[in-house]
């Protein structure tokens, strides 16, 4: 039963084919069996999960679609009374006194929270190797990374340790692990899911996002966490309708743009072909393909790294050894306490980004770098708007290659450059759905992205569902 989708569990639980406690125990057994190898979890909350499952079985919670079904949470989302480490030494003993907005929502839905998943420290990375707890492995090939930074969440699903999971996506951290593990991940419109309780890395770019096995599951999970929250000043106040409405309506007449720049920069041939073939499938299903262009795509990546590091340097200033987490043992002055706690508590990648961010925000350089990067951010928004005058959504690859071998991160530039296709959606604040579209080298999965204008999630799910279920008969 553990390889089933959320939707299948929902049906089975309702038919009383198995109870939530039985389901939860089956996943806990799988975690016990597999997680030593995979390393998807930092913390497993077996007792809390079984309590929630029991509540469901006793009819003491809402019978929503997510009720009684196990979910994993990335370890940068605050969970009351449960360690939230961001995979960093500096937060290794941090126990939040409150739940993030999305956790409050999931609890209200009756979800069964199985624990907290591994990640690159503070979300900075693309491989889930940069964690103080060690690397997570890709269940499809243990010698490869699951992608990152939400690699623990993706690996937990791919290893059948949970039915679905939450991650966060600042520059691709949900979509790229989905692509590397053969899963579905949605980067939602900026402001649609509250960031209250998400430990900040680059606040103007990131969103909490669902990862799942199927497109339908993803829509169901997003239904559970979307919504306005006044505790996040960037949360958009609007009414969201059920993302599964119209999901089966197909793509007849849909105009899908093919941005030529996405198919030219350093891309692996097998990926280019797979995404092309997917576009052709859409044509067969009645969609119309149109050529579009985002001429300044090349400047988006460097601008992303300037802005994300700038914001990180400011957001991470709060870890001073006094208010949160780790404190050095050995100091004689307050300055030394700050310096040593931060030097010993942060990993190398985080320190590098704090230094870069501090530089680009300095009086001397902020016009030259930070302000220019903000202009690039505005510009890409305009370019996407122009593209969406010609088509309703666009199709693109997620990553220029399939999952890397573990240990390849000695070349940091590779990880940075490979974010080229995912960061544009974060810079423009628009939604992007990553879903499998074939297999490449050594049978590793390939992912494609469907990107749409702000608040077009329902349309992206409809298009994703049509592709995922093409050629299948009957109700899925
Ligand atoms: N790989 C990107 C980075 O390191 C994206 C990270 C993310 O989305 N959290 O910044």
């Amino acid at each position: 039963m553990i390889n089933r989708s959320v939707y299948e569990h929902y049906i089975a639980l309702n038919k009383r084919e198995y109870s939530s406690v039985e389901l939860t125990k089956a996943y806990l057994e799988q975690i016990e069996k597999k997680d030593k190898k995979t390393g998807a979890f930092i913390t497993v909350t077996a007792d809390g999960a079984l309590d929630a499952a029991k509540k469901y079985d006793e009819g003491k919670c809402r019978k929503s679609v997510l009720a009684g079904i196990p979910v994993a949470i990335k370890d940068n989302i605050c969970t009351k009374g449960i360690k939230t480490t961001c995979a960093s030494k500096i937060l290794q003993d941090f126990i939040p006194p409150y739940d993030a907005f999305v956790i409050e929502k999931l609890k209200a839905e009756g979800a069964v929270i199985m624990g907290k998943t591994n990640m690159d420290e503070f979300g900075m990375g693309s491989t889930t190797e940069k964690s103080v707890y060690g690397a997570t492995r890709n269940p499809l090939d243990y010698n490869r990374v699951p992608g990152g930074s939400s690699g623990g969440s993706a690996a937990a699903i791919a290893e059948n340790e949970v039915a679905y999971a939450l991650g966060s996506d600042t520059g691709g951290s949900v979509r790229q692990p989905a692509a590397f593990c053969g899963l579905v991940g949605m980067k939602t419109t900026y402001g649609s899911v509250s960031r209250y309780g998400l430990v900040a890395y680059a606040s103007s770019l990131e969103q909490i996002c669902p990862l799942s096995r199927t497109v339908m599951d993803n829509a169901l999970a997003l239904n559970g966490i979307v919504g306005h929250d006044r505790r996040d000043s960037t949360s958009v106040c609007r009414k969201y309708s059920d993302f599964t409405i119209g999901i089966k309506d197909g793509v007849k007449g849909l105009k899908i743009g093919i941005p030529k720049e996405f198919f030219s920069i350093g891309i692996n041939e097998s990926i280019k072909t797979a995404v092309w073939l997917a576009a052709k499938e859409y044509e067969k299903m009645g969609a119309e393909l149109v050529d579009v262009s985002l001429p300044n795509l090349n400047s988006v990546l460097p601008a992303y790294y300037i802005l994300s590091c700038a914001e990180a340097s400011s957001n991470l200033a709060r870890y001073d050894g006094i208010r949160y987490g780790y404190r050095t043992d050995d100091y004689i002055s307050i300055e030394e306490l700050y310096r040593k706690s931060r030097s010993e508590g942060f990993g190398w990648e985080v320190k590098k980004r704090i230094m870069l961010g501090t530089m680009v925000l300095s009086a001397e350089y902020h016009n030259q770098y930070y302000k220019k990067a903000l202009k690039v951010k505005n510009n890409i928004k305009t370019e996407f708007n122009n593209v969406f005058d010609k088509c309703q959504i666009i199709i693109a690859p997620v990553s220029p290659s399939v999952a890397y071998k573990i240990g390849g991160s000695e070349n940091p530039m590779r990880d940075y450059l490979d974010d080229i296709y995912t960061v544009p959606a974060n810079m423009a604040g628009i939604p992007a759905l990553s879903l499998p579209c074939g297999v490449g080298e050594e049978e590793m999965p390939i992912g494609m992205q469907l990107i749409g204008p702000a608040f077009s999630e329902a349309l992206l799910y409809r298009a994703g569902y049509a592709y995922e279920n093409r050629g299948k008969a009957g109700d899925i």
Side-chain angles (χ1 to χ4, degrees):
M1 75 175 103
I2 53 175
N3 57 2
R4 289 187 173 182
S5 69
V6 172
Y7 189 63
E8 287 166 335
H9 284 317
Y10 166 64
I11 304 278
L13 286 172
N14 269 304
K15 283 199 212 147
R16 299 187 190 271
E17 214 176 285
Y18 39 81
S19 70
S20 172
V21 168
E22 283 165 345
L23 178 64
T24 305
K25 280 187 176 159
Y27 278 121
L28 286 170
E29 265 169 37
Q30 177 77 351
I31 294 175
E32 186 69 41
K33 234 193 280 170
K34 297 281 186 166
D35 208 61
K36 271 190 202 77
K37 184 82 187 167
T38 319
F41 280 90
I42 292 175
T43 307
V44 178
T45 53
D47 292 346
L50 286 168
D51 282 350
K54 218 181 274 161
K55 254 194 192 160
Y56 172 89
D57 290 340
E58 288 167 0
K60 288 186 186 148
C61 71
R62 269 186 67 195
K63 295 271 173 191
S64 77
V65 187
L66 301 178
I69 303 174
V71 57
I73 310 291
K74 186 175 181 180
D75 211 21
N76 60 350
I77 299 172
C78 286
T79 39
K80 188 174 175 178
I82 301 168
K83 237 173 35 170
T84 298
T85 69
C86 288
S88 179
K89 183 174 172 184
I90 213 149
L91 282 177
Q92 65 188 1
D93 300 316
F94 175 56
I95 298 179
Y98 69 102
D99 277 327
F101 173 82
V102 293
I103 302 296
E104 291 174 351
K105 293 272 276 186
L106 285 182
K107 284 184 176 171
E109 295 284 314
V112 173
I113 295 174
M114 301 289 275
K116 309 296 292 289
T117 54
N118 201 14
M119 53 185 282
D120 290 299
E121 188 177 356
F122 284 100
M124 299 178 189
S126 308
T127 62
T128 315
E129 289 171 292
K130 296 187 191 99
S131 158
V132 72
Y133 299 99
T136 297
R137 290 170 185 272
N138 190 324
L140 306 176
D141 174 353
Y142 289 131
N143 295 317
R144 292 178 190 265
V145 303
S149 61
S150 311
S153 288
I157 304 169
E159 194 68 289
N160 294 327
E161 296 175 23
V162 284
Y164 69 109
L166 295 187
S168 64
D169 193 309
T170 312
S173 277
V174 156
R175 286 163 289 155
Q176 183 253 29
F180 281 11
C181 294
L183 303 169
V184 178
M186 169 69 101
K187 199 296 267 181
T188 53
T189 304
Y190 188 73
S192 60
V193 177
S194 169
R195 288 180 297 105
Y196 176 75
L198 170 69
V199 179
Y201 155 25
S203 320
S204 79
L205 300 162
E206 60 207 2
Q207 283 287 282
I208 297 173
C209 309
L211 272 150
S212 61
R213 228 179 264 293
T214 67
V215 174
M216 175 63 95
D217 280 7
N218 211 281
L220 293 171
L222 185 57
N223 277 344
I225 60 169
V226 79
H228 175 63
D229 174 22
R230 56 179 177 73
R231 293 165 303 181
D232 169 2
S233 61
T234 61
S235 167
V236 178
C237 188
R238 79 196 298 272
K239 236 187 113 41
Y240 296 88
S241 43
D242 184 335
F243 292 110
T244 64
I245 294 176
I247 200 167
K248 298 179 182 177
D249 287 355
V251 291
K252 226 178 214 101
L254 188 73
K255 279 193 174 167
I256 304 182
I258 305 198
K260 59 172 187 271
E261 294 80 6
F262 275 80
F263 292 85
S264 56
I265 318 167
I267 188 167
N268 195 311
E269 248 349 275
S270 64
I271 292 181
K272 194 170 165 178
T273 312
V275 180
W276 254 110
L277 288 176
K280 289 284 165 203
E281 285 291 321
Y282 274 115
E283 210 171 29
K284 278 190 216 152
M285 290 188 278
E288 187 190 332
L289 303 181
V290 287
D291 288 328
V292 294
S293 171
L294 289 148
N296 290 303
L297 188 70
N298 258 336
S299 49
V300 177
L301 191 70
Y304 164 81
Y305 274 99
I306 289 171
L307 295 179
S308 62
C309 291
E311 291 184 31
S313 75
S314 162
N315 275 326
L316 271 55
R318 74 192 69 178
Y319 305 107
D320 52 10
I322 293 174
R323 286 168 296 177
Y324 298 93
Y326 178 78
R327 179 183 297 178
T328 183
D329 296 328
D330 177 29
Y331 58 91
I332 46 170
S333 65
I334 184 88
E335 283 78 16
E336 197 178 21
L337 164 64
Y338 291 155
R339 185 163 45 76
K340 281 196 163 172
S341 299
R342 287 169 67 80
S343 305
E344 292 161 19
F346 287 132
W348 170 235
E349 180 67 27
V350 176
K351 284 185 210 164
K352 193 166 67 180
R353 296 197 193 199
I354 291 173
M355 286 189 279
L356 182 66
T358 307
M359 190 205 92
V360 299
L361 287 177
S362 65
E364 216 175 319
Y365 289 112
H366 87 281
N367 276 331
Q368 208 174 325
Y369 293 108
Y370 182 69
K371 285 217 167 138
K372 258 197 200 157
L374 282 178
K375 282 186 191 150
V376 172
K377 190 175 185 222
N378 267 329
N379 191 41
I380 191 73
K381 268 187 208 163
T382 315
E383 286 193 6
F384 270 114
N385 284 340
N386 294 339
V387 162
F388 292 129
D389 284 342
K390 299 191 187 77
C391 60
Q392 287 154 285
I393 63 172
I394 63 178
I395 187 168
V398 176
S399 170
S401 66
V402 296
Y404 324 120
K405 289 256 163 66
I406 283 189
S409 277
E410 285 89 51
N411 174 10
M413 283 312 280
R414 177 204 67 194
D415 293 4
Y416 294 168
L417 292 173
D418 280 4
D419 290 337
I420 176 92
Y421 302 132
T422 46
V423 296
N426 302 80
M427 291 285 270
I430 56 179
L433 179 68
S434 161
L435 71 158
C437 70
V439 285
E441 291 157 47
E442 293 175 50
E443 298 300 301
M444 292 311 286
I446 295 174
M448 67 170 169
Q449 266 187 112
L450 302 174
I451 308 175
F455 302 110
S456 65
E457 279 86 349
L459 177 62
L460 298 178
Y461 282 134
R462 168 147 72 85
Y465 186 91
Y467 178 82
E468 182 186 61
N469 295 288
R470 71 196 182 286
K472 289 184 196 162
D475 200 22
I476 312 292

